[in-house]
Amino acid sequence: MQLADKVALVTGAGSGIAKATAKLFAKEGAKVAALELSQDELKDTVTEINKNNGEAIPLIADISQPEQMQQAIQAIIDKWGRLDIVFANAGINGVWAPIEELTPEDWDKTINVNLKGTFLTVKYAVPYLKRQGGSVVITSSINGTRTFSNTGATAYSCTKAAQVAFTKMVALELAKHRIRVNVICPGAIATNINQSTQRVDLEEIEEPVEFPEGEIPLTDGKPGTPEQVAQLVLFLSSDASSHITGTEVWIDGGESLLKA
């Protein structure tokens, strides 16, 4: 039980990487506050954890809204009296389009959810993490950090690059409080986030590149799994990584080394 007696907040916990992580955290002994935009998205995650002798509560909030995030984190403290781990995973791909066609509204939405949402999640958790120390893990991406060939993903990539800078700034600021802050940069992972990506007229600006043996060298093109990423998040959240902070970790099977 690597996380026994710990309390963890997991954002975007209704699916994909965050759902797998919430379940793994619970298996390792943590009490899990699973946060999503709607109750329907969270139902399966919370039910599975509680059915398997874990302990989880649902939190409904938009991570880009300050009052909602304050209330969500207060609900954790009201329930369990502490907060030890924050996995700031929630985000969107947003609209991928040529710069002339990317609207200011599309840009703002991606920035607000991915970057402001990360800021708010960490900001309101910090006073409680300071009480005993803890761990923050932020989900960035290979896009904007190693890879820049996803043409049209300008707003998304900018948020992902900024999350790495945010991690390093906050890691140094919070080190004296024994709070570690790290960032993961997944490549292609088998989740449903791509289904919500809006792609607009990218054919005109994409550079044609072929990878006859697949885009992921380690697996001949097969994407990673949410469970593989969850194991990395568990490591960074546990005492096994007690001397690691301000560090980005790419988990992509070598994809970003090939596609940079």
Side-chain angles (χ1 to χ4, degrees):
M1 288 290 209
Q2 296 184 61
L3 304 181
D5 301 320
K6 304 291 187 183
V7 173
L9 167 63
V10 178
T11 70
S15 64
I17 291 169
K19 180 177 182 179
T21 301
K23 291 164 62 178
L24 183 59
F25 277 3
K27 184 179 178 182
E28 291 295 332
K31 298 176 176 65
V32 177
L35 186 145
E36 262 291 3
L37 271 172
S38 74
Q39 187 77 36
D40 288 345
E41 292 175 290
L42 276 178
K43 185 178 179 181
D44 288 347
T45 303
V46 173
T47 299
E48 284 184 45
I49 290 172
N50 290 328
K51 277 187 175 179
N52 287 288
N53 300 315
E55 188 172 353
I57 60 170
L59 298 175
I60 310 304
D62 179 341
I63 62 168
S64 70
Q65 300 302 312
E67 288 186 4
Q68 293 185 33
M69 288 309 297
Q70 280 183 290
Q71 291 169 3
I73 289 172
Q74 186 60 52
I76 299 171
I77 303 306
D78 291 345
K79 174 69 175 177
W80 290 310
R82 63 185 293 152
L83 181 58
D84 304 276
I85 298 164
V86 174
F87 181 33
N89 174 83
I92 59 172
N93 276 1
V95 175
W96 293 13
I99 193 68
E100 305 99 308
E101 298 184 38
L102 185 63
T103 69
E105 292 78 16
D106 292 334
W107 172 274
D108 287 347
K109 182 176 181 179
T110 303
I111 299 294
N112 283 337
V113 174
N114 291 358
L115 187 53
K116 183 181 178 183
T118 297
F119 160 68
L120 294 175
T121 301
V122 176
K123 171 183 172 62
Y124 293 122
V126 161
Y128 305 105
L129 294 171
K130 281 183 175 180
R131 292 178 178 178
Q132 71 284 314
S135 174
V136 176
V137 181
I138 294 166
T139 300
S140 176
S141 172
I142 62 171
N143 294 296
T145 59
R146 269 185 176 172
T147 297
F148 300 88
S149 51
N150 274 331
T151 311
T154 308
Y156 177 79
S157 293
C158 285
T159 64
K160 297 292 120 177
Q163 284 175 315
V164 173
F166 176 86
T167 295
K168 293 174 184 292
M169 292 295 296
V170 176
L172 185 58
E173 178 182 338
L174 298 178
K176 61 180 172 287
H177 300 288
R178 293 171 290 116
I179 301 170
R180 298 180 297 105
V181 188
N182 293 291
V183 58
I184 62 170
C185 302
I189 305 296
T191 70
N192 61 6
I193 190 170
N194 286 329
Q195 296 173 14
S196 60
T197 307
Q198 289 182 255
R199 292 177 168 83
V200 180
D201 295 335
L202 295 179
E203 298 82 4
E204 300 176 8
I205 60 172
E206 284 181 328
E207 295 292 338
V209 181
E210 293 184 8
F211 302 97
E213 296 181 5
E215 298 181 3
I216 306 172
L218 198 61
T219 58
D220 295 326
K222 184 179 179 181
T225 67
E227 289 74 21
Q228 287 174 311
V229 183
Q231 290 289 343
L232 173 60
V233 181
L234 172 62
F235 167 70
L236 291 172
S237 301
S238 73
D239 291 342
S241 61
S242 59
H243 204 54
I244 300 175
T245 195
T247 298
E248 62 270 58
V249 182
W250 286 274
I251 177 165
D252 67 351
E255 178 185 1
S256 61
L257 302 176
L258 180 68
K259 295 173 62 177

